[in-house]
Amino acid sequence: MSVDLRTQYLGFFLRNPIVASAGPMTEDVDRLHRLEEAGVGAVVLPSLFQEQIEHDEHELHRLHLTGADSFSEATNYFPELDDYNTGPDAYLEHIAQAKAAVRVPVIASLNGLSRSGWEQFARLIEQAGADALELNIYFVPTDPEMSSADVEQQYVDLVAAVRQVVEIPLAVKIGPYFSAPLHLANRLAAAGADGLVVFNRYLQPDVDLETLQVTPQLALSTPLEQRLPLQWIGIMYGNVKASLAHTTGVHSADGVIKSLLVGADVAMMTSALLMCGADYVKRVIGGVEQWLEDHDYVSVEQMKGSLSRINCPDPKSYERMNYMRALTSYTQSQSHQIT
């Protein structure tokens, strides 16, 4: 029996639900080629960061001012503007090259800083030919006067503003630290989000005990981290009018299958691809296909959401009751080991 792996995400019909998400694996055309050949359904390009653009422009301006008061002959060491990658030009060129190189949907990613920046660069990304845009909102509220309602409103206003200036599909990558994720998800969809990427993996800083500095530390995800997105996608499925993408902790065919069962339209992979390479996608696709055949499913659409909160035999497994059961089962297993 041949199973149908196709899925729909952001209005696109993908050949399968595996998406290579933003990261080093999607930052150059050769790797994009390999990912497409391995079978991914779509790719998300690395994020365009507004801060980096502004930093580069500031440094170039400073460099041009260096020695400006010296003899006129000294100006011959000024760099030519064409030799420097200022603004979003390199990123926009990457979009164009990616579109020319692969046939799967190319989703750009934007991490803005100001409202005008989000709007300006979203327009440029659309003009460059991206099939869709993922808003990588990475906001850590540090103002003690900012309430949770204020934070949510900032997200909603941002999505509405970008929706006004672009027509391509919009996905919003949100973090897990909201008091009512389902309510926010519906507000974002109403503001113009076509999809939600659950969840953004905020990277916490570490403390260097020798230098007494707060330092950034990047660690790849682990399969254990997929549980939080699984819970909330399972709750959102059937209650939010938007595509759902599971990101963080998807490392294998099992992770993809779990994502689909709770209601995700796609499963995004980054860390696993970095560790195992582009060809690992073939193994994951084969594992998903084999599982579907073994469990008598004819398509991804047939099994999608079958274990979501609205469809699973015990909806309370997504709520407080599951917490009590987990504690009880752990205590019982430990007591058996002791005896």
Side-chain angles (χ1 to χ4, degrees):
M1 179 182 68
S2 177
V3 296
D4 186 354
L5 297 181
R6 291 177 297 175
T7 188
Q8 189 172 358
Y9 178 61
L10 299 179
F12 302 107
F13 287 94
L14 309 184
R15 55 182 172 176
N16 64 64
I18 301 169
V19 174
S21 48
M25 289 298 293
T26 62
E27 68 181 359
D28 66 67
V29 172
D30 288 341
R31 287 176 174 175
L32 290 173
H33 262 306
R34 292 199 293 271
L35 287 167
E36 182 183 40
E37 291 175 354
V40 294
V43 295
V44 183
L45 303 183
S47 288
L48 173 65
F49 286 88
Q50 183 179 347
E51 293 99 326
Q52 185 60 48
I53 294 171
E54 293 176 349
H55 170 76
D56 292 345
E57 292 175 341
H58 173 75
E59 287 299 300
L60 181 62
H61 178 67
R62 181 187 61 78
L63 188 58
H64 270 74
L65 292 180
T66 301
D69 294 330
S70 61
F71 295 105
S72 59
E73 291 83 354
T75 59
N76 62 9
Y77 64 75
F78 282 5
E80 293 294 332
L81 275 174
D82 291 341
D83 295 334
Y84 280 77
N85 172 27
T86 62
D89 293 348
Y91 190 81
L92 301 177
E93 179 62 23
H94 183 43
I95 293 174
Q97 291 176 350
K99 282 294 298 172
V102 299
R103 289 169 294 179
V104 297
V106 174
I107 304 170
S109 177
L110 175 60
N111 189 304
L113 185 63
S114 65
R115 177 70 59 82
S116 61
W118 283 101
E119 295 174 355
Q120 174 191 356
F121 299 126
R123 286 194 198 95
L124 293 174
I125 285 171
E126 181 177 48
Q127 293 167 7
D131 293 304
L133 174 59
E134 182 177 290
L135 302 181
N136 178 14
I137 305 177
Y138 197 108
F139 174 63
V140 180
T142 57
D143 183 352
E145 299 301 319
M146 177 174 278
S147 69
S148 57
D150 294 334
V151 174
E152 291 190 10
Q153 190 62 49
Q154 185 166 309
Y155 275 66
V156 173
D157 291 345
L158 171 59
V159 172
V162 176
R163 178 78 283 169
Q164 288 293 316
V165 299
V166 298
E167 296 182 359
I168 56 176
L170 287 179
V172 183
K173 195 172 188 179
I174 61 172
Y177 306 120
F178 292 98
S179 55
L182 182 57
H183 177 73
L184 175 62
N186 277 307
R187 293 191 67 197
L188 294 174
D194 300 288
L196 298 172
V197 182
V198 183
F199 284 116
N200 202 341
R201 188 168 176 257
Y202 290 165
L203 303 179
Q204 292 82 20
D206 199 357
V207 174
D208 189 313
L209 297 180
E210 297 302 321
T211 63
L212 297 183
Q213 297 287 327
V214 177
T215 59
Q217 291 290 332
L218 176 62
L220 298 181
S221 70
T222 68
L224 187 61
E225 295 178 63
Q226 71 178 331
R227 292 186 181 180
L228 186 60
L230 285 175
Q231 178 184 16
W232 281 103
I233 290 174
I235 294 172
M236 291 177 183
Y237 179 82
N239 289 301
V240 179
K241 294 182 178 180
S243 294
L244 297 174
H246 178 189
T247 190
T248 299
V250 181
H251 280 247
S252 64
D254 287 354
V256 175
I257 294 164
K258 292 176 182 180
S259 302
L260 297 170
L261 284 171
V262 299
D265 296 295
V266 296
M268 295 186 166
M269 304 182 75
T270 301
S271 296
L273 298 181
L274 286 173
M275 292 186 288
C276 303
D279 284 342
Y280 182 60
V281 174
K282 298 177 183 177
R283 179 177 169 185
V284 175
I285 292 173
V288 172
E289 191 169 24
Q290 187 63 55
W291 188 91
L292 287 168
E293 290 179 355
D294 291 345
H295 292 78
D296 297 324
Y297 285 103
V298 299
S299 69
V300 162
E301 289 299 325
Q302 181 190 5
M303 55 98 74
K304 189 185 296 181
S306 57
L307 287 182
S308 63
R309 184 178 178 276
I310 63 173
N311 289 327
C312 72
D314 183 11
K316 291 183 179 179
S317 60
Y318 281 94
E319 304 168 24
R320 177 180 172 84
M321 187 59 67
N322 198 44
Y323 174 65
M324 297 170 61
R325 289 172 180 167
L327 291 178
T328 302
S329 64
Y330 181 81
T331 302
Q332 290 174 347
S333 64
Q334 290 297 99
S335 63
H336 291 159
Q337 291 176 12
I338 295 173
T339 58

